[in-house]
Amino acid sequence: MAEKLRIEVPEFAVLTARLGVLMAIYETTSKVIDDRFALIPTERCSEILLGVLAQAQRMFPLVDVYAFHFLSNHLHLLIGAPTLTEKSAFLEWTLREISRRINKLLDRTGSLLEQNHCIQITTLEHALQRLRYIMGQATAQFLARHPAEDIFPSSTPCLLFGKAVEGVFQYANQEPMTLRVRVDRLPGLEELSVRDHRALMWTLADDLAAEARPRRKKAGVRIPAPEALRRIDPMTRPKERTRSPAPVVHGPPEHQEAWRALHAELRAAYTVSTRAYYAWQADPAQPMIPWPRHTLPPAFARPRRPRPGAA
């Protein structure tokens, strides 16, 4: 059970601008099964993705969303959460609802998204780098010349133009709701005025376009028309699939070593607590040992959240 233990390093938490509380910052990536293009940026698909994210913010108000991008075969979220439990519940609900609703849209069943890969970010400089990385997804893959021309549902229109990013969410037998996704100010940028913050975002976007231009020309790739991207069969997949190894945290080498050391320590303690729990199940006279702090307890130990409006 402890092999895939999720932990957080509390020393890397930061004060957030919106709530003024300590939060850990994470980048989450979730890929579509077999790299299928199930998240094609049609109007209806984009409405669903943004609607689910906006509803998730209403259900989990303690979670910040600093940036996001939904490409055809995977998604990125840059979020802040005060606890592992809050982060896990937010991602569990969001990814589950995306899977359900996109499956219905495509008239398919089964798993849609692979297990999400969530990495803690340890410095504000690295957090800004990850925001830049997420903003440049379509540009880096030669699907747009500039982030401002990106047609995929993302936080970019809000960051660059201040535009509202809206989606549609609907529970069964209820009226659809048009909801706005809140794009929160990344910690470390609180002191910037609206004008200066937008200028910084444009600098990041312009740099991304400038970096991609010579690579695109060297590769001889033409930018596809938006309608061509929307006509792709959702059940197809890319010809080539490249994978780059992910670090344990987004931060300097010393932070990665600190994470590994803490993970080993917490994993050992977590194993002891889990074995004690199983012993207690067999014999209630046996003592229970609390799971260590800053780890994610088993699913059965996490309180479930009722759906808004449920009795």
Coordinates of all heavy atoms in Angstrom, one line a residue, residues 4-7 26-33 70 73-79 84-99 111-120 246-247 296 302:
K4 N 3.1 3.4 -3.6 CA 2.7 4.7 -4.3 C 2.2 5.7 -3.4 O 1.3 6.5 -3.7 CB 1.7 4.3 -5.4 CG 2.2 3.4 -6.5 CD 1.1 3.1 -7.5 CE 1.7 2.2 -8.6 NZ 0.7 1.9 -9.7
L5 N 2.9 5.8 -2.2 CA 2.4 6.8 -1.2 C 2.5 8.2 -1.7 O 3.6 8.6 -2.3 CB 3.3 6.6 0.0 CG 3.0 7.5 1.2 CD1 1.6 7.3 1.8 CD2 4.1 7.3 2.3
R6 N 1.4 9.0 -1.6 CA 1.4 10.4 -1.9 C 1.8 11.2 -0.6 O 1.2 11.0 0.4 CB 0.1 10.8 -2.4 CG -0.4 10.1 -3.6 CD 0.4 10.4 -4.8 NE -0.1 9.7 -6.0 CZ -1.0 10.2 -6.9 NH1 -1.4 11.4 -6.8 NH2 -1.4 9.5 -7.9
I7 N 2.8 12.1 -0.8 CA 3.2 12.9 0.4 C 3.3 14.3 0.0 O 3.2 14.7 -1.2 CB 4.6 12.4 0.9 CG1 5.7 12.9 0.0 CG2 4.6 10.9 1.1 CD1 7.1 12.7 0.6
Y26 N 1.0 22.3 -6.8 CA 1.2 21.1 -7.6 C 0.9 21.3 -9.1 O 0.1 22.1 -9.5 CB 0.2 20.0 -7.1 CG 0.3 19.6 -5.7 CD1 -0.5 20.3 -4.7 CD2 1.2 18.7 -5.2 CE1 -0.4 20.0 -3.4 CE2 1.3 18.3 -3.9 CZ 0.4 19.0 -3.0 OH 0.5 18.7 -1.6
E27 N 1.7 20.5 -9.9 CA 1.3 20.4 -11.3 C 0.8 19.0 -11.5 O 1.4 18.0 -11.1 CB 2.5 20.6 -12.2 CG 2.1 20.5 -13.7 CD 3.2 20.5 -14.7 OE1 4.4 20.7 -14.2 OE2 3.0 20.4 -15.9
T28 N -0.4 18.9 -12.0 CA -1.0 17.6 -12.3 C -1.2 17.3 -13.8 O -1.6 18.2 -14.5 CB -2.4 17.5 -11.6 OG1 -2.3 17.6 -10.2 CG2 -3.1 16.2 -11.9
T29 N -0.8 16.2 -14.2 CA -0.9 15.8 -15.6 C -1.7 14.5 -15.6 O -1.5 13.6 -14.8 CB 0.4 15.5 -16.3 OG1 1.2 16.7 -16.2 CG2 0.2 15.1 -17.7
S30 N -2.7 14.4 -16.5 CA -3.5 13.2 -16.7 C -3.7 12.9 -18.2 O -4.1 13.8 -18.9 CB -4.9 13.3 -16.0 OG -5.6 12.1 -16.0
K31 N -3.3 11.7 -18.6 CA -3.3 11.4 -20.0 C -4.6 10.6 -20.4 O -5.0 9.8 -19.5 CB -2.1 10.6 -20.4 CG -0.8 11.4 -20.2 CD 0.4 10.6 -20.6 CE 1.7 11.4 -20.4 NZ 1.8 12.6 -21.2
V32 N -5.0 10.7 -21.6 CA -6.1 9.9 -22.0 C -5.6 8.5 -22.3 O -4.4 8.4 -22.8 CB -6.7 10.5 -23.3 CG1 -7.8 9.6 -23.9 CG2 -7.3 11.9 -23.1
I33 N -6.4 7.5 -22.0 CA -6.0 6.1 -22.2 C -5.5 5.9 -23.7 O -6.1 6.4 -24.6 CB -7.2 5.2 -22.0 CG1 -7.5 5.2 -20.5 CG2 -6.9 3.7 -22.5 CD1 -6.5 4.5 -19.6
F70 N -6.1 21.9 -21.6 CA -6.7 20.6 -22.1 C -6.3 20.4 -23.5 O -6.9 21.0 -24.4 CB -8.2 20.6 -21.9 CG -8.7 20.7 -20.5 CD1 -9.1 22.0 -20.0 CD2 -8.9 19.6 -19.7 CE1 -9.6 22.1 -18.7 CE2 -9.3 19.7 -18.4 CZ -9.7 20.9 -17.9
N73 N -5.1 14.9 -26.1 CA -4.9 13.6 -25.4 C -4.3 13.6 -24.0 O -4.0 12.6 -23.5 CB -3.9 12.8 -26.3 CG -2.6 13.4 -26.5 OD1 -2.4 14.6 -26.1 ND2 -1.6 12.7 -27.0
H74 N -4.3 14.9 -23.4 CA -3.9 14.9 -22.0 C -4.3 16.3 -21.5 O -4.6 17.2 -22.2 CB -2.4 14.7 -21.8 CG -1.5 15.7 -22.4 ND1 -1.2 15.8 -23.7 CD2 -0.8 16.7 -21.7 CE1 -0.4 16.8 -23.9 NE2 -0.2 17.4 -22.7
L75 N -4.2 16.5 -20.2 CA -4.5 17.7 -19.5 C -3.5 18.1 -18.5 O -2.8 17.2 -17.9 CB -5.9 17.7 -18.9 CG -6.2 16.7 -17.8 CD1 -5.9 17.3 -16.4 CD2 -7.6 16.1 -17.9
H76 N -3.4 19.4 -18.2 CA -2.5 19.9 -17.2 C -3.3 20.8 -16.3 O -4.1 21.6 -16.7 CB -1.3 20.7 -17.8 CG -0.3 19.9 -18.6 ND1 0.7 19.2 -18.0 CD2 -0.2 19.7 -19.9 CE1 1.4 18.6 -18.9 NE2 0.8 18.9 -20.1
L77 N -3.0 20.7 -15.0 CA -3.6 21.6 -14.0 C -2.5 22.1 -13.1 O -1.6 21.3 -12.6 CB -4.6 20.9 -13.1 CG -5.9 20.4 -13.8 CD1 -6.7 19.5 -12.8 CD2 -6.7 21.5 -14.4
L78 N -2.4 23.4 -12.8 CA -1.5 24.0 -11.9 C -2.3 24.5 -10.7 O -3.1 25.5 -10.9 CB -0.7 25.1 -12.5 CG 0.4 25.8 -11.6 CD1 1.5 24.8 -11.3 CD2 1.0 27.0 -12.4
I79 N -2.3 23.8 -9.6 CA -3.2 24.1 -8.5 C -2.5 24.3 -7.2 O -1.3 23.9 -7.0 CB -4.2 23.0 -8.3 CG1 -3.5 21.6 -7.9 CG2 -5.0 22.8 -9.6 CD1 -4.5 20.5 -7.6
L84 N -3.3 17.4 1.6 CA -3.3 16.4 0.6 C -4.7 15.8 0.4 O -5.1 15.5 -0.7 CB -2.4 15.2 1.0 CG -0.9 15.3 0.7 CD1 -0.1 14.2 1.4 CD2 -0.6 15.3 -0.8
T85 N -5.5 15.8 1.4 CA -6.8 15.3 1.3 C -7.7 16.2 0.4 O -8.4 15.7 -0.4 CB -7.5 15.3 2.8 OG1 -6.7 14.4 3.6 CG2 -8.9 14.8 2.7
E86 N -7.5 17.5 0.6 CA -8.3 18.5 -0.2 C -7.8 18.4 -1.7 O -8.7 18.4 -2.6 CB -8.0 19.9 0.3 CG -9.0 20.9 -0.2 CD -10.4 20.8 0.5 OE1 -10.4 20.2 1.6 OE2 -11.4 21.3 -0.1
K87 N -6.5 18.2 -1.9 CA -6.0 18.1 -3.3 C -6.6 16.8 -3.9 O -7.0 16.8 -5.1 CB -4.5 18.1 -3.3 CG -3.9 17.9 -4.7 CD -2.8 17.0 -4.9 CE -2.5 15.9 -4.0 NZ -1.5 14.9 -4.5
S88 N -6.5 15.7 -3.2 CA -6.9 14.4 -3.7 C -8.4 14.4 -4.0 O -8.9 13.9 -5.1 CB -6.6 13.3 -2.7 OG -7.1 12.1 -3.1
A89 N -9.2 15.0 -3.1 CA -10.7 15.0 -3.3 C -11.0 15.9 -4.6 O -11.9 15.5 -5.4 CB -11.4 15.6 -2.1
F90 N -10.3 17.0 -4.7 CA -10.6 17.9 -5.9 C -10.2 17.2 -7.2 O -11.0 17.2 -8.1 CB -9.7 19.1 -5.7 CG -9.7 20.0 -6.9 CD1 -10.7 21.0 -7.1 CD2 -8.7 19.9 -7.9 CE1 -10.7 21.8 -8.3 CE2 -8.6 20.8 -9.0 CZ -9.7 21.7 -9.2
L91 N -9.1 16.5 -7.2 CA -8.7 15.8 -8.5 C -9.5 14.6 -8.7 O -9.9 14.3 -9.9 CB -7.2 15.4 -8.4 CG -6.2 16.5 -8.4 CD1 -4.8 16.0 -8.2 CD2 -6.2 17.3 -9.6
E92 N -9.9 13.9 -7.7 CA -10.7 12.7 -7.8 C -12.1 13.1 -8.5 O -12.5 12.4 -9.4 CB -11.0 12.0 -6.5 CG -11.8 10.8 -6.5 CD -12.1 10.2 -5.1 OE1 -12.5 11.0 -4.2 OE2 -11.9 9.0 -4.9
W93 N -12.7 14.1 -7.9 CA -14.0 14.5 -8.5 C -13.9 15.1 -9.9 O -14.6 14.7 -10.8 CB -14.6 15.5 -7.5 CG -16.0 15.9 -7.9 CD1 -17.2 15.3 -7.5 CD2 -16.5 16.9 -8.9 NE1 -18.3 15.8 -8.1 CE2 -17.9 16.8 -8.9 CE3 -15.8 17.8 -9.7 CZ2 -18.6 17.6 -9.8 CZ3 -16.5 18.6 -10.5 CH2 -17.9 18.5 -10.5
T94 N -12.9 15.9 -10.1 CA -12.7 16.6 -11.4 C -12.5 15.6 -12.5 O -13.1 15.6 -13.5 CB -11.6 17.6 -11.3 OG1 -11.9 18.6 -10.3 CG2 -11.4 18.3 -12.7
L95 N -11.5 14.7 -12.3 CA -11.1 13.7 -13.3 C -12.2 12.7 -13.5 O -12.4 12.2 -14.7 CB -9.8 13.1 -13.0 CG -8.6 14.0 -12.8 CD1 -7.3 13.3 -12.5 CD2 -8.4 14.9 -14.1
R96 N -12.9 12.3 -12.5 CA -14.0 11.4 -12.6 C -15.1 12.0 -13.5 O -15.7 11.3 -14.4 CB -14.6 11.0 -11.3 CG -15.7 9.9 -11.3 CD -16.3 9.7 -10.0 NE -17.1 10.8 -9.5 CZ -16.9 11.4 -8.4 NH1 -16.0 11.0 -7.5 NH2 -17.7 12.4 -8.0
E97 N -15.5 13.2 -13.2 CA -16.6 13.9 -13.9 C -16.2 14.1 -15.4 O -17.1 14.0 -16.3 CB -17.0 15.2 -13.2 CG -17.7 15.0 -11.9 CD -19.0 14.2 -12.0 OE1 -19.8 14.5 -13.0 OE2 -19.2 13.3 -11.2
I98 N -15.0 14.5 -15.6 CA -14.5 14.6 -17.0 C -14.7 13.3 -17.7 O -15.2 13.2 -18.9 CB -13.1 15.1 -17.0 CG1 -13.0 16.6 -16.7 CG2 -12.4 14.9 -18.4 CD1 -11.6 17.2 -16.6
S99 N -14.2 12.2 -17.1 CA -14.3 10.9 -17.8 C -15.7 10.5 -18.1 O -16.1 10.1 -19.2 CB -13.7 9.8 -16.9 OG -12.3 10.1 -16.7
S111 N -12.5 3.2 -18.9 CA -11.6 4.2 -18.4 C -11.3 5.2 -19.5 O -11.1 4.8 -20.6 CB -10.4 3.6 -17.8 OG -10.6 2.7 -16.7
L112 N -11.3 6.4 -19.2 CA -10.9 7.5 -20.2 C -9.5 8.0 -19.9 O -8.7 8.2 -20.8 CB -11.9 8.6 -20.2 CG -11.6 9.7 -21.2 CD1 -11.9 9.2 -22.6 CD2 -12.4 11.0 -20.9
L113 N -9.3 8.3 -18.6 CA -8.0 8.9 -18.2 C -7.2 8.0 -17.4 O -7.7 7.2 -16.5 CB -8.3 10.2 -17.3 CG -9.1 11.3 -18.0 CD1 -9.4 12.4 -17.0 CD2 -8.3 11.9 -19.2
E114 N -5.9 8.0 -17.6 CA -4.9 7.3 -16.8 C -4.8 7.9 -15.4 O -5.3 9.0 -15.1 CB -3.6 7.2 -17.5 CG -3.6 6.5 -18.8 CD -2.2 6.5 -19.4 OE1 -1.2 7.1 -18.8 OE2 -2.0 6.0 -20.5
Q115 N -4.2 7.2 -14.5 CA -3.9 7.7 -13.1 C -3.1 9.0 -13.3 O -2.2 9.1 -14.0 CB -3.1 6.7 -12.3 CG -2.7 7.2 -10.9 CD -3.8 7.3 -10.0 OE1 -4.8 6.5 -10.1 NE2 -3.8 8.3 -9.2
N116 N -3.6 10.0 -12.6 CA -3.0 11.3 -12.7 C -1.6 11.3 -12.0 O -1.3 10.6 -11.1 CB -3.9 12.4 -12.0 CG -3.9 12.4 -10.5 OD1 -3.0 12.9 -9.9 ND2 -4.9 11.7 -10.0
H117 N -0.7 12.2 -12.6 CA 0.7 12.3 -12.1 C 0.8 13.7 -11.5 O 0.8 14.7 -12.2 CB 1.6 12.1 -13.2 CG 3.0 11.9 -12.8 ND1 4.1 11.8 -13.6 CD2 3.6 11.7 -11.5 CE1 5.2 11.6 -12.9 NE2 4.9 11.6 -11.7
C118 N 0.9 13.7 -10.2 CA 0.9 15.0 -9.5 C 2.2 15.3 -8.8 O 2.7 14.4 -8.0 CB -0.3 15.0 -8.4 SG -0.7 16.6 -7.7
I119 N 2.8 16.4 -9.1 CA 4.2 16.7 -8.6 C 4.2 18.0 -7.9 O 3.7 19.0 -8.4 CB 5.2 16.8 -9.8 CG1 5.2 15.5 -10.6 CG2 6.6 17.1 -9.3 CD1 6.1 15.6 -11.8
Q120 N 4.7 18.0 -6.7 CA 4.8 19.3 -5.9 C 5.8 20.2 -6.4 O 6.9 19.8 -6.9 CB 5.1 18.9 -4.4 CG 5.0 20.2 -3.5 CD 5.2 19.8 -2.0 OE1 5.3 18.7 -1.6 NE2 5.2 20.9 -1.2
A246 N 9.8 12.3 -15.4 CA 9.4 13.4 -14.6 C 10.2 13.4 -13.3 O 10.5 12.4 -12.7 CB 7.9 13.3 -14.2
P247 N 10.5 14.6 -12.7 CA 11.2 14.7 -11.5 C 10.3 14.4 -10.3 O 9.0 14.4 -10.5 CB 11.7 16.1 -11.4 CG 10.7 16.9 -12.2 CD 10.2 15.9 -13.3
L296 N -1.1 10.7 2.5 CA -2.5 10.6 2.1 C -3.0 9.2 2.7 O -2.6 8.2 2.2 CB -2.7 10.7 0.6 CG -4.2 10.7 0.2 CD1 -4.9 11.9 0.7 CD2 -4.3 10.6 -1.4
R302 N -10.8 8.8 4.2 CA -11.1 10.1 3.7 C -12.6 10.4 3.7 O -13.3 9.6 3.1 CB -10.5 10.3 2.3 CG -10.6 11.8 1.9 CD -9.8 12.0 0.6 NE -10.4 11.4 -0.5 CZ -9.8 10.4 -1.2 NH1 -8.7 10.0 -0.9 NH2 -10.4 9.9 -2.3

